[in-house]
Amino acid sequence: MAGSTFGTIFKITTWGESHGKGVGVVVDGCPAGLSLDEADIQKFLDRRKPGQSKYATPRKEDDAVEILSGVFEGKTTGTPISLVVFNRNQQSKDYSEIASYYRPGHADYTFDMKYGFRDYRGGGRSSGRETIGRVAAGAIAVKLLNQLGITFTTYTKSIGPITISTENFDAAEIARNPLYMPDVCAAENAQNYLDACMAERNSSGGVIECIVSGMPAGIGDTVFEKLDANLAKAIMSIGAVKGFEIGDGFDAAKATGRSNNDAFCLAKDGSVTKTTNHAGGILGGMSDGSDIILRASVKPTPSIAATQQTVNKSGEETEVSIKGRHDPVIVPRAVVVVEAMAAITITDALFANMSARMDSIEKFYR
Amino acid sequence: MAGSTFGTIFKITTWGESHGKGVGVVVDGCPAGLSLDEADIQKFLDRRKPGQSKYATPRKEDDAVEILSGVFEGKTTGTPISLVVFNRNQQSKDYSEIASYYRPGHADYTFDMKYGFRDYRGGGRSSGRETIGRVAAGAIAVKLLNQLGITFTTYTKSIGPITISTENFDAAEIARNPLYMPDVCAAENAQNYLDACMAERNSSGGVIECIVSGMPAGIGDTVFEKLDANLAKAIMSIGAVKGFEIGDGFDAAKATGRSNNDAFCLAKDGSVTKTTNHAGGILGGMSDGSDIILRASVKPTPSIAATQQTVNKSGEETEVSIKGRHDPVIVPRAVVVVEAMAAITITDALFANMSARMDSIEKFYR
Amino acid sequence: MAGSTFGTIFKITTWGESHGKGVGVVVDGCPAGLSLDEADIQKFLDRRKPGQSKYATPRKEDDAVEILSGVFEGKTTGTPISLVVFNRNQQSKDYSEIASYYRPGHADYTFDMKYGFRDYRGGGRSSGRETIGRVAAGAIAVKLLNQLGITFTTYTKSIGPITISTENFDAAEIARNPLYMPDVCAAENAQNYLDACMAERNSSGGVIECIVSGMPAGIGDTVFEKLDANLAKAIMSIGAVKGFEIGDGFDAAKATGRSNNDAFCLAKDGSVTKTTNHAGGILGGMSDGSDIILRASVKPTPSIAATQQTVNKSGEETEVSIKGRHDPVIVPRAVVVVEAMAAITITDALFANMSARMDSIEKFYR
Amino acid sequence: MAGSTFGTIFKITTWGESHGKGVGVVVDGCPAGLSLDEADIQKFLDRRKPGQSKYATPRKEDDAVEILSGVFEGKTTGTPISLVVFNRNQQSKDYSEIASYYRPGHADYTFDMKYGFRDYRGGGRSSGRETIGRVAAGAIAVKLLNQLGITFTTYTKSIGPITISTENFDAAEIARNPLYMPDVCAAENAQNYLDACMAERNSSGGVIECIVSGMPAGIGDTVFEKLDANLAKAIMSIGAVKGFEIGDGFDAAKATGRSNNDAFCLAKDGSVTKTTNHAGGILGGMSDGSDIILRASVKPTPSIAATQQTVNKSGEETEVSIKGRHDPVIVPRAVVVVEAMAAITITDALFANMSARMDSIEKFYR
């Protein structure tokens, strides 16, 4: 099954495993004339780089991106942009034992069931390194969207039981703490919580929130290609994500029509806007011009040092304790992955929308 | 934007608006040789039919399905199956007023922003009638999957604040109450809650849960075409759905690795299984052989009789009170839609999986 | 295999068999705001209608099209346009015998090999009636393209050995003779040739040519989605077409660079043009602003009254003589099918092209 | 427009320009368990390598392929296979002048019209080097198909006016002469013809033929995804190809039903076969079990040393004479490209076909 391509017009194809020669992505359908260099992409990759705090694996990886095609004299040419990050820090020995048994919470067993065997080094294609291609492509999408006035604010909303508070929300704080939380108190509490998890050879889950501002209204489709449906697929395709919400999400199920409906009103400039945003910026699958608000639930890192029960490849029950360098929480490093996938999805939707009306098409071509 | 087709190999294309001549679906990629008649499809459509209780709109619609192609002598031929339900009970007058303003919580505004104008009769393409095509196609998918030993149990998990309890769970109860809840007490409480909502000219949301049993392990893909990612898109593409979960969903974000990991163990027959199912039957994007468990958060019906603030097409603020025949809760009628979309997604994944291994391909063709 | 959908943004899905309840098409991705009524479509269907001359099957079919969705108050709404032609003149008895053997030159044998059985009435899904959906969708595409200044001239270039001459070419003649030939002399000779074929219970092939004028330059893509590659697929997907050419086609293989290259020059208005058009309007997969010229080779009608050798379903060799009402030549009725498929392909390419340049996107959205 | 991906289940994505860092391909959907190493791919790339005779450009390029992902311990893993050929022999100076004018027969003008500017070095994305990715992917497809008993014989059928004769046909001769012609006399005549072309600073076109043996019957679809339609797109997407034929191709247009129909008969083993193969192995879009025979018309190399008229970017008419190292004929080096694209198309069709029948699916999954 060909499952490594995402998007229809703005289309990305990722490749690579954790312990192979490298990982990469081909970005096809990027318009010609966008200024782009390796630094634009590197700054996004650096947001997911390991080894930056004690809450992330201490592996030191350069993750230096190289543009192999599609850019000429500092601008995209309209042809596919091939991006690669060669693997440099491969300690295969750390992983050799795991070939023999199925790690709980990992894709080892399902991989064997699907393909008959697997590249067992470091999780292979199911490793978090697979997201490098997504983030590299997402950097291009975000740059493109910024030029259209669309911006992203993405952060850790909660770690285990610790959630940011609305009162303390400070976007400037996101880049200041290793957990990417926009609330200095919550970030401190979450660090204490993670210290306790680590002491117990345990790990934690959390929630990532992404806010997209500056969206034009009317983007997305009314049936299967609803903007929120495509965002859901994009976000749920990130490893370890177990839930997706738009706007009030699961709280909407408990609400009533009176409390959940957003009233339309007029902004000072006379344009149509809403008094509230329970809908999270999407009505009937199309953007309504308000901020798009989405959330992802990320499960705890399955690789824990504590002893666990499992089955080995000889079909015997056994006990395991996962060694090696693992993140006690995936959430902070996944923040940029969520932003990348949201940006890729929105770029594709904007391009698809350009032929929605006959009058726009006539204006474009005549 | 062409957004009315879903699926890659088992592919459905829906068409039709609430007050046009009819609604329908073309199912392409259905294998030849499946026994199929109109009764197989009708029984699914009857599960979403309005007018069956006071908690659903009192409109009486026959919703009688007709097979126009793709079936010969009682069996599918492998060619596209065209299914149509002609609209019979069209009271256009009920809806004429809504052409002039934007209903809160509806797609009126976003439709106008996207296309410049809209078919304002009964919501047009954004109406719940659009799901008839999905359900008709889903009936085929469920029948096909049943022949492979895969079965579905889908029900209302909660209405507003009323949730079923694990202790009272009784699948046989689902068909017995108008809310499709597998818990006789919760169903009674929920009906009381809905009565109160209706008295206040208000509406309620709820949660739908779907359990898929009998899945072979290894179905789905490891990156963008993860089975749970495609299920998320399928379910989020249903109107009014604002959140999606697989397994523990948002609870996984609060959990730790120790509590969230499912230990592998051996079943009595020596096969690999798990002691728990926090993962909801999917690991690394592929089915693990356990039950797939998914949930959808459904927002309250936006059409309420209570007075609401909005804006009209002349750009003036105004007040509206939605008249007409509306469901006080969408959840029960959407249960079969969730099941249909899940079945369509799983059928497509099963077909895509057939070429995953060289040894299977050689066995198939030599 | 889902093989009944064509196109990426402007997307059509056809359904129906020759002797089922009807045939139809869903056109998805048509922009909102195009004026459209049934007469627009009917005039295209009438060009492929049988029974109009002795060179076409004497079956009298109304082939009256009905619009079921996607049009409101005389304009497309942007939602899927469902078109249907119900079958009225079904003489199943004519075809019942053919269930038992494989007609030479038909898809009977390959259908059985693929699906295990087939709808044997009138060729089922392989019947020429399948093209009704294509022509109905093509009528919409042509209308849309005409509004952008793009026009089509499509005709029979040759019947068997009789070819039109450049000197006699008269586009006005196309609609005047039953063979749709733009050369009154060739049309007369071809009719004599066909009379002789019919007398021998034989049939004839021919060539269809389509000229597309008014194309903007730069439409199409440089690699797999070359405009000529997509036109080739579109045209070769029409039953009975065995060859496709763009510009000089197979004559280019015999040419030299000096004779085949088209020199660029300046038109009177200072725009870039070419002194010749061996390329047929496409360079490197993209339109160059000259007329697009394409040709399809159509094989002789395989259904002939003459005795032929074949094999029956019991695996015995046998002789057959195809009875029933068959066209002695398919070419004239296929002219409009070629035009339809070309128009659908070009519409899709124009829509895809709208996001090719960053400056156009910024202009569109800011 | 995303136009660098081809295929649905077996899917390839190419990237790279002639004078960038390299060219490559990502092959997605290749089944797990196929033995594969770099030598398997290199031998296909060597068939298109320049500098092997005086009839090909004297550039010496290693074109050494590297596998970056998707292969573990000598076998494909089911994950994307990333293949790269880094560019080593880049003489940018040769091409610098061409930035200023539009070369006749090239994509310079159409590129500028589409994207506003272009990578003018060596043709950029429109260069023949783009086919390296196709050939590398095709090597995998051919290896896979060989294991299913499907084999390819591909060769130069004609160069300019010189065509191979049926009597002299000798497949063993293909690898022995630099023109890949299966006829020793024709090969000698063609070399003389090319010598004369080169003396006149001219170039020649030709025809490539590909025969696919061992195909199972029933592969392909009946409507848009006809096997011959997809082969047409695959072959026409190769630069310089101007025509495509299946079986008798354009000769079928001159034939009659009696001469063109292939009679069915029984083979000695009792299986159904045909007495002739005018159809080229495909009936109604599906393989009929006979050899698939297809042809591509290749135009003369547009880069010729002779003086030609054109227009420069300042909008002035000018004369040019293309310098640099160019093939006097593209045909021999394109032989392996045709084979590669045919193999990729057929692999995809075989995979899609696996879910055509309910009985096969039940056997696969129960």
Side-chain angles (χ1 to χ4, degrees):
Chain A
M1 184 184 183
S4 297
T5 297
F6 186 82
T8 298
I9 304 182
F10 186 83
K11 189 180 269 189
I12 73 167
T13 301
T14 68
W15 57 268
E17 304 94 28
S18 55
H19 284 62
K21 290 195 178 175
V23 291
V25 65
V26 181
V27 180
D28 199 18
C30 184
L34 178 73
S35 296
L36 191 73
D37 62 21
E38 280 151 358
D40 291 322
I41 297 160
Q42 194 63 49
K43 72 180 175 205
F44 272 71
L45 289 179
D46 289 349
R47 287 168 62 190
R48 70 163 293 292
K49 211 162 61 171
Q52 305 193 113
S53 82
K54 65 175 170 177
Y55 307 111
T57 165
R59 288 193 305 269
K60 290 272 180 278
E61 292 166 357
D62 275 349
D63 286 357
V65 73
E66 210 177 320
I67 299 177
L68 296 182
S69 70
V71 177
F72 182 58
E73 296 180 343
K75 293 204 179 252
T76 58
T77 60
T79 64
I81 305 168
S82 179
L83 303 171
V84 66
V85 170
F86 287 103
N87 289 338
R88 299 189 199 281
N89 183 20
Q90 303 164 24
Q91 299 194 13
S92 292
K93 277 175 274 177
D94 288 359
Y95 295 95
S96 54
E97 185 192 327
I98 67 170
S100 64
Y101 57 76
Y102 299 128
R103 289 171 297 166
H106 276 275
D108 300 343
Y109 173 67
T110 50
F111 239 101
D112 268 8
M113 287 299 99
K114 184 180 181 74
Y115 292 122
F117 75 111
R118 68 184 194 277
D119 179 351
Y120 47 76
R121 300 166 302 168
R125 184 72 175 146
S126 290
S127 157
R129 280 191 75 73
E130 176 269 323
T131 62
I132 286 177
R134 301 176 184 234
V135 172
I140 300 174
V142 171
K143 185 164 196 198
L144 188 158
L145 293 174
N146 286 348
Q147 284 188 217
L148 303 177
I150 299 167
T151 56
F152 291 80
T153 311
T154 321
Y155 47 83
T156 300
K157 188 184 179 73
S158 69
I159 299 270
I162 318 294
T163 302
I164 60 166
S165 76
T166 316
E167 304 81 53
N168 292 348
F169 188 96
D170 178 7
E173 183 62 28
I174 297 170
R176 286 194 209 118
N177 66 74
L179 302 180
Y180 297 110
M181 290 182 108
D183 172 343
V184 68
C185 295
E188 200 179 304
N189 292 341
Q191 291 181 57
N192 292 336
Y193 176 75
L194 286 175
D195 289 340
C197 283
M198 290 166 81
E200 294 171 348
R201 299 181 301 163
N202 207 344
S203 63
S204 175
V207 171
I208 296 167
E209 192 164 70
C210 175
I211 299 179
V212 189
S213 302
M215 276 295 289
I219 307 302
D221 190 71
T222 53
V223 184
F224 299 118
E225 303 299 326
K226 285 187 166 78
L227 183 53
D228 39 349
N230 278 321
L231 287 167
K233 175 170 178 173
I235 302 305
M236 289 292 302
S237 79
I238 303 170
V241 175
K242 302 300 285 183
F244 173 84
E245 292 184 323
I246 198 90
D248 283 5
F250 276 86
D251 283 346
K254 297 174 204 146
T256 68
R258 285 190 184 208
S259 65
N260 186 68
N261 279 355
D262 301 310
F264 287 108
C265 62
L266 294 177
K268 282 185 185 162
D269 65 356
S271 65
V272 176
T273 183
K274 300 178 335 192
T275 56
T276 52
N277 191 12
H278 299 292
I282 297 181
L283 283 170
M286 294 169 280
S287 59
D288 65 14
S290 310
D291 284 355
I292 293 178
I293 303 169
L294 62 87
R295 272 177 302 284
S297 165
V298 180
K299 74 174 184 180
T301 320
S303 295
I304 53 176
T307 303
Q308 299 179 86
Q309 182 192 341
T310 193
V311 169
N312 65 22
K313 291 196 72 169
S314 315
E316 300 156 333
E317 297 192 337
T318 181
E319 289 196 332
V320 299
S321 159
I322 312 292
K323 295 182 192 70
R325 309 157 306 179
H326 300 288
D327 300 281
V329 65
I330 299 164
V331 175
R333 293 181 61 198
V335 164
V336 69
V337 185
V338 166
E339 181 169 314
M341 291 306 298
I344 290 162
T345 305
I346 287 169
T347 303
D348 201 31
L350 282 164
F351 291 179
N353 188 64
M354 293 177 77
S355 58
R357 292 165 66 152
M358 195 61 202
D359 52 4
S360 319
I361 296 167
E362 289 185 270
K363 199 172 147 201
F364 193 97
Y365 278 116
R366 296 216 74 158
Chain B
M1 184 185 186
S4 297
T5 298
F6 186 82
T8 299
I9 305 182
F10 186 84
K11 189 180 269 187
I12 74 168
T13 301
T14 68
W15 58 267
E17 304 93 29
S18 55
H19 284 62
K21 291 194 177 176
V23 292
V25 65
V26 181
V27 180
D28 199 16
C30 183
L34 179 73
S35 295
L36 190 74
D37 61 21
E38 281 150 357
D40 291 321
I41 297 160
Q42 195 62 50
K43 72 181 175 204
F44 272 72
L45 289 178
D46 289 349
R47 287 167 61 190
R48 72 162 290 293
K49 211 162 63 172
Q52 305 193 115
S53 82
K54 66 176 170 178
Y55 306 112
T57 165
R59 287 192 306 269
K60 291 272 180 278
E61 291 166 357
D62 274 350
D63 286 357
V65 73
E66 209 177 322
I67 299 176
L68 296 181
S69 69
V71 176
F72 182 57
E73 298 181 342
K75 293 203 179 254
T76 58
T77 61
T79 64
I81 304 168
S82 179
L83 303 172
V84 66
V85 169
F86 286 103
N87 289 339
R88 298 188 200 282
N89 183 20
Q90 304 163 24
Q91 300 195 13
S92 292
K93 279 175 271 175
D94 289 358
Y95 295 95
S96 54
E97 186 191 327
I98 66 170
S100 65
Y101 56 77
Y102 298 127
R103 290 171 298 166
H106 276 275
D108 300 343
Y109 174 68
T110 51
F111 239 100
D112 268 8
M113 288 298 100
K114 183 179 182 74
Y115 292 122
F117 76 113
R118 68 184 193 278
D119 179 352
Y120 47 75
R121 301 167 302 167
R125 184 70 176 147
S126 290
S127 157
R129 280 191 75 73
E130 176 269 324
T131 62
I132 286 178
R134 302 175 184 235
V135 172
I140 300 175
V142 170
K143 185 163 196 199
L144 188 158
L145 293 174
N146 285 349
Q147 285 190 215
L148 304 177
I150 299 168
T151 57
F152 292 79
T153 311
T154 320
Y155 47 83
T156 300
K157 187 184 179 72
S158 70
I159 299 271
I162 317 294
T163 304
I164 59 166
S165 76
T166 316
E167 304 81 53
N168 292 349
F169 188 97
D170 177 9
E173 184 63 27
I174 299 169
R176 286 194 209 119
N177 66 75
L179 302 181
Y180 297 111
M181 290 184 108
D183 171 343
V184 67
C185 294
E188 199 177 305
N189 292 340
Q191 292 181 56
N192 293 336
Y193 176 75
L194 287 175
D195 288 340
C197 284
M198 289 166 80
E200 292 171 351
R201 298 181 300 161
N202 206 345
S203 63
S204 174
V207 172
I208 296 167
E209 191 163 70
C210 175
I211 299 178
V212 190
S213 303
M215 276 294 289
I219 306 303
D221 191 70
T222 53
V223 185
F224 299 118
E225 303 298 327
K226 284 187 168 78
L227 183 53
D228 38 350
N230 279 322
L231 287 167
K233 175 169 177 173
I235 303 304
M236 290 291 302
S237 79
I238 303 169
V241 175
K242 302 300 285 185
F244 174 83
E245 292 183 323
I246 198 90
D248 283 6
F250 276 85
D251 283 346
K254 297 173 204 146
T256 67
R258 286 189 184 210
S259 66
N260 187 68
N261 279 355
D262 301 311
F264 286 108
C265 62
L266 295 177
K268 280 185 188 161
D269 66 356
S271 66
V272 175
T273 183
K274 298 177 338 192
T275 56
T276 53
N277 191 13
H278 299 291
I282 297 181
L283 283 170
M286 294 169 279
S287 59
D288 66 13
S290 310
D291 283 356
I292 294 178
I293 303 169
L294 62 87
R295 271 178 301 284
S297 166
V298 180
K299 74 174 184 180
T301 318
S303 293
I304 53 176
T307 303
Q308 300 179 85
Q309 182 192 342
T310 193
V311 169
N312 65 23
K313 292 196 72 170
S314 315
E316 300 156 334
E317 297 191 340
T318 182
E319 289 197 334
V320 300
S321 159
I322 312 292
K323 295 183 192 71
R325 307 157 306 177
H326 301 288
D327 301 280
V329 64
I330 299 164
V331 175
R333 292 181 63 199
V335 164
V336 70
V337 186
V338 167
E339 182 170 314
M341 291 306 297
I344 289 162
T345 306
I346 287 170
T347 302
D348 202 30
L350 282 164
F351 291 179
N353 188 63
M354 293 178 78
S355 58
R357 293 164 66 153
M358 195 62 202
D359 53 4
S360 319
I361 297 166
E362 289 185 90
K363 199 172 146 200
F364 193 96
Y365 277 116
R366 297 217 72 158
Chain C
M1 184 184 184
S4 296
T5 298
F6 186 82
T8 298
I9 304 182
F10 185 83
K11 189 180 269 190
I12 73 166
T13 301
T14 68
W15 57 268
E17 305 92 29
S18 55
H19 283 63
K21 290 195 178 174
V23 292
V25 65
V26 181
V27 180
D28 199 17
C30 184
L34 178 73
S35 296
L36 190 73
D37 62 19
E38 280 150 358
D40 291 321
I41 296 160
Q42 195 63 51
K43 72 181 175 204
F44 273 72
L45 289 178
D46 289 350
R47 288 168 62 192
R48 70 163 293 292
K49 210 162 63 171
Q52 306 193 112
S53 82
K54 66 176 168 177
Y55 307 111
T57 165
R59 287 192 306 269
K60 289 274 180 276
E61 293 166 356
D62 276 348
D63 287 357
V65 73
E66 209 178 320
I67 299 177
L68 297 182
S69 70
V71 176
F72 182 58
E73 297 181 343
K75 293 204 179 252
T76 58
T77 60
T79 64
I81 305 168
S82 178
L83 304 171
V84 66
V85 170
F86 287 102
N87 288 338
R88 300 189 199 281
N89 183 19
Q90 303 163 23
Q91 299 194 13
S92 292
K93 278 174 271 175
D94 289 356
Y95 295 95
S96 55
E97 184 192 328
I98 67 169
S100 65
Y101 56 77
Y102 298 128
R103 289 170 298 166
H106 277 275
D108 301 343
Y109 174 68
T110 50
F111 239 100
D112 269 8
M113 288 298 100
K114 184 180 182 72
Y115 291 122
F117 75 112
R118 68 185 193 279
D119 180 351
Y120 47 75
R121 301 167 302 167
R125 183 71 176 147
S126 290
S127 157
R129 279 190 76 73
E130 176 268 324
T131 62
I132 286 177
R134 302 175 185 235
V135 172
I140 300 175
V142 170
K143 185 163 196 199
L144 188 158
L145 293 174
N146 286 348
Q147 285 188 216
L148 304 177
I150 299 168
T151 56
F152 291 79
T153 311
T154 320
Y155 46 83
T156 300
K157 188 184 179 73
S158 70
I159 299 270
I162 317 294
T163 303
I164 60 167
S165 77
T166 316
E167 304 80 53
N168 291 349
F169 188 97
D170 178 7
E173 183 60 28
I174 298 170
R176 285 194 210 119
N177 66 74
L179 302 180
Y180 298 111
M181 290 183 107
D183 171 344
V184 68
C185 295
E188 198 178 306
N189 291 340
Q191 291 180 58
N192 293 336
Y193 175 75
L194 287 175
D195 289 340
C197 283
M198 289 166 80
E200 294 171 351
R201 299 181 300 163
N202 207 344
S203 64
S204 175
V207 171
I208 296 167
E209 191 164 71
C210 175
I211 298 178
V212 190
S213 302
M215 275 296 289
I219 307 302
D221 190 72
T222 53
V223 185
F224 299 118
E225 303 298 327
K226 283 186 167 80
L227 183 53
D228 39 349
N230 278 321
L231 287 167
K233 175 169 177 172
I235 303 305
M236 289 292 301
S237 78
I238 304 169
V241 175
K242 302 300 286 183
F244 174 84
E245 291 184 324
I246 198 89
D248 283 6
F250 276 86
D251 283 346
K254 297 175 204 145
T256 68
R258 287 190 183 209
S259 65
N260 187 68
N261 280 354
D262 300 311
F264 287 107
C265 63
L266 295 176
K268 281 184 186 161
D269 65 357
S271 66
V272 176
T273 184
K274 299 177 336 190
T275 55
T276 52
N277 190 12
H278 299 292
I282 296 181
L283 283 170
M286 294 168 281
S287 59
D288 66 12
S290 309
D291 284 356
I292 293 178
I293 304 169
L294 63 86
R295 272 177 301 285
S297 165
V298 180
K299 75 175 185 180
T301 319
S303 294
I304 52 176
T307 303
Q308 300 179 85
Q309 182 192 342
T310 191
V311 169
N312 66 23
K313 290 196 73 170
S314 315
E316 300 156 333
E317 297 192 337
T318 181
E319 288 197 331
V320 299
S321 160
I322 313 291
K323 295 183 192 70
R325 308 157 306 179
H326 301 288
D327 302 280
V329 65
I330 299 165
V331 175
R333 293 181 61 199
V335 163
V336 70
V337 185
V338 166
E339 182 170 314
M341 291 306 298
I344 290 162
T345 306
I346 287 169
T347 303
D348 201 31
L350 282 164
F351 291 179
N353 189 63
M354 293 177 77
S355 58
R357 292 166 67 154
M358 195 62 202
D359 53 2
S360 319
I361 296 167
E362 289 185 90
K363 198 172 148 201
F364 193 96
Y365 277 115
R366 297 216 73 159
Chain D
M1 184 185 184
S4 297
T5 298
F6 186 82
T8 299
I9 304 182
F10 186 83
K11 189 181 269 188
I12 75 167
T13 301
T14 68
W15 58 268
E17 305 92 29
S18 56
H19 284 62
K21 290 195 177 175
V23 292
V25 66
V26 181
V27 179
D28 200 17
C30 183
L34 179 72
S35 296
L36 190 73
D37 61 20
E38 281 150 357
D40 290 322
I41 296 160
Q42 195 61 51
K43 72 181 176 203
F44 272 72
L45 289 178
D46 289 349
R47 288 168 61 190
R48 71 163 291 292
K49 210 161 64 171
Q52 305 194 114
S53 83
K54 67 175 170 177
Y55 305 112
T57 166
R59 287 192 306 269
K60 290 271 181 279
E61 291 165 359
D62 275 349
D63 287 357
V65 73
E66 209 177 322
I67 299 177
L68 296 181
S69 70
V71 177
F72 182 59
E73 298 182 341
K75 294 205 179 250
T76 57
T77 60
T79 64
I81 304 168
S82 179
L83 303 172
V84 65
V85 169
F86 287 103
N87 289 338
R88 299 188 199 281
N89 183 20
Q90 303 164 24
Q91 299 194 13
S92 291
K93 277 174 274 176
D94 289 356
Y95 295 96
S96 55
E97 186 191 328
I98 66 170
S100 66
Y101 57 76
Y102 299 127
R103 290 170 297 165
H106 277 274
D108 300 344
Y109 173 68
T110 50
F111 240 100
D112 268 9
M113 287 299 101
K114 183 180 183 73
Y115 291 121
F117 76 113
R118 69 184 192 278
D119 179 353
Y120 47 76
R121 300 166 303 165
R125 184 71 176 145
S126 290
S127 157
R129 280 192 74 74
E130 176 268 323
T131 61
I132 286 177
R134 301 175 184 236
V135 172
I140 300 174
V142 170
K143 185 164 195 199
L144 188 158
L145 293 174
N146 285 348
Q147 286 189 214
L148 303 177
I150 299 168
T151 57
F152 292 79
T153 310
T154 321
Y155 46 82
T156 301
K157 188 183 178 75
S158 69
I159 300 271
I162 317 294
T163 303
I164 60 166
S165 76
T166 316
E167 304 80 53
N168 290 349
F169 188 96
D170 177 9
E173 184 61 28
I174 297 170
R176 286 195 209 118
N177 66 75
L179 302 181
Y180 296 110
M181 290 183 107
D183 171 343
V184 67
C185 294
E188 199 178 306
N189 292 340
Q191 291 181 58
N192 293 336
Y193 175 75
L194 287 175
D195 288 341
C197 284
M198 290 166 79
E200 292 170 350
R201 299 180 300 163
N202 206 345
S203 63
S204 174
V207 172
I208 296 168
E209 190 163 71
C210 175
I211 299 178
V212 189
S213 303
M215 276 295 287
I219 307 302
D221 191 71
T222 53
V223 185
F224 299 118
E225 303 299 327
K226 284 187 168 80
L227 183 54
D228 39 350
N230 278 321
L231 287 166
K233 174 169 179 175
I235 303 305
M236 290 292 301
S237 79
I238 303 169
V241 174
K242 302 300 286 183
F244 173 84
E245 292 183 323
I246 198 89
D248 283 5
F250 276 86
D251 283 347
K254 296 174 205 146
T256 67
R258 285 189 184 209
S259 66
N260 187 66
N261 279 354
D262 301 310
F264 287 108
C265 62
L266 294 177
K268 280 185 188 162
D269 65 357
S271 65
V272 175
T273 183
K274 300 178 335 191
T275 56
T276 53
N277 190 12
H278 299 291
I282 297 181
L283 283 170
M286 294 168 280
S287 60
D288 66 13
S290 309
D291 284 356
I292 293 178
I293 303 169
L294 62 87
R295 272 177 301 284
S297 165
V298 180
K299 74 174 186 181
T301 319
S303 293
I304 54 175
T307 303
Q308 300 179 85
Q309 181 192 341
T310 192
V311 169
N312 65 23
K313 291 196 72 168
S314 315
E316 301 157 333
E317 297 192 337
T318 181
E319 288 197 333
V320 299
S321 159
I322 312 292
K323 294 180 194 74
R325 308 157 304 180
H326 300 288
D327 301 280
V329 65
I330 298 163
V331 176
R333 291 182 62 198
V335 164
V336 70
V337 185
V338 166
E339 182 169 314
M341 291 306 297
I344 290 163
T345 306
I346 287 170
T347 302
D348 203 30
L350 281 164
F351 290 0
N353 188 64
M354 292 177 77
S355 57
R357 292 164 68 152
M358 194 62 202
D359 52 4
S360 318
I361 296 167
E362 289 186 90
K363 199 173 146 199
F364 193 95
Y365 278 115
R366 296 218 71 161

